[in-house]
Amino acid sequence: KFSGATMKKAIFLSLIFLAGSLFAAEYKYIGVKKCGICHKKAETGNQLAQWTKSRHAKAFETLATKEAKEVGKKLGVKDPQTSPKCLKCHVTAYDKPASQKLPTFLASDGISCETCHGPGSAYYKKPIMIDQKKSLAAGLIIPDKKLCITCHNEESPTYKPFNYAEKLKLIAHPNPAKKK
């Protein structure tokens, strides 16, 4: 039989262990290059090439333009490429600690795969990625309108009405090899 103090200590140690396990299992951002290893094949849709041509891929770069600097100036932002006001919608995981980003992750990639699909460290490997249930259990996100409007909203100083269905067509990157 355990005393109250022993039971409390066991519960405390269990909670510490659980917290440590959860911290160790924290998903990490792996970057476009890692995602692109598999998502650049023509037979599976070449999502990397589609993303590379998109405005999302150039989101960080855009912040260095004359127009972005003028918009920033009106908002009291000296450098849009260093301001959280701008980075929150122009860089994947801008607000996440370095410990959540692998060396392969680059902020200069702008809005990348992991903004929409979540940090890929636990689901990017093929045995998991080919099974949607396993991928979802490992942190894969299927993006929706709610996710998109976290950035595409009236808080943006250059906001234009956002038509989700229309914009979705511009960024669609299906895998033609997937069986329906």
Side-chain angles (χ1 to χ4, degrees):
K1 200 171 186 180
F2 296 107
S3 70
T6 304
M7 187 60 82
K8 285 180 183 176
K9 186 175 181 180
I11 291 170
F12 177 74
L13 291 173
S14 295
L15 289 173
I16 295 289
F17 177 77
L18 178 63
S21 297
L22 291 173
F23 180 76
E26 182 178 82
Y27 300 138
K28 298 185 186 313
Y29 292 85
I30 61 173
V32 170
K33 286 184 181 178
K34 283 261 191 205
C35 298
I37 290 170
C38 295
H39 295 286
K40 66 181 178 185
K41 299 171 185 162
E43 64 272 12
T44 57
N46 199 349
Q47 295 87 357
L48 180 64
Q50 290 176 268
W51 170 80
T52 302
K53 296 175 201 168
S54 76
R55 294 177 76 184
H56 284 152
K58 304 193 181 17
F60 180 71
E61 205 177 292
T62 299
L63 295 176
T65 65
K66 182 180 175 184
E67 179 186 342
K69 290 178 182 181
E70 288 172 8
V71 169
K73 189 175 181 181
K74 291 177 188 174
L75 296 172
V77 170
K78 186 175 180 179
D79 180 2
Q81 285 191 311
T82 62
S83 171
K85 287 181 183 178
C86 305
L87 295 177
K88 69 182 182 179
C89 290
H90 285 261
V91 172
T92 296
Y94 90 97
D95 60 343
K96 304 297 182 204
S99 63
Q100 280 187 259
K101 301 169 189 169
L102 296 182
T104 50
F105 173 84
L106 301 173
S108 59
D109 284 334
I111 298 303
S112 66
C113 319
E114 294 170 294
T115 296
C116 303
H117 298 291
S121 64
Y123 68 78
Y124 83 98
K125 292 185 178 173
K126 189 173 182 176
I128 295 171
M129 184 57 81
I130 61 172
D131 182 326
Q132 189 175 40
K133 284 183 183 178
K134 286 181 183 178
S135 297
L136 292 169
L140 176 71
I141 294 170
I142 304 297
D144 59 10
K145 182 178 180 178
K146 185 177 177 183
L147 179 67
C148 296
I149 62 175
T150 60
C151 288
H152 294 281
N153 62 52
E154 293 176 6
E155 189 180 320
S156 167
T158 59
Y159 176 75
K160 295 173 185 79
F162 182 71
N163 181 322
Y164 175 73
E166 182 181 294
K167 297 298 183 182
L168 189 58
K169 290 176 189 173
L170 295 175
I171 63 165
H173 47 277
N175 179 344
K178 269 202 167 175
K179 294 177 182 162
K180 297 182 182 193

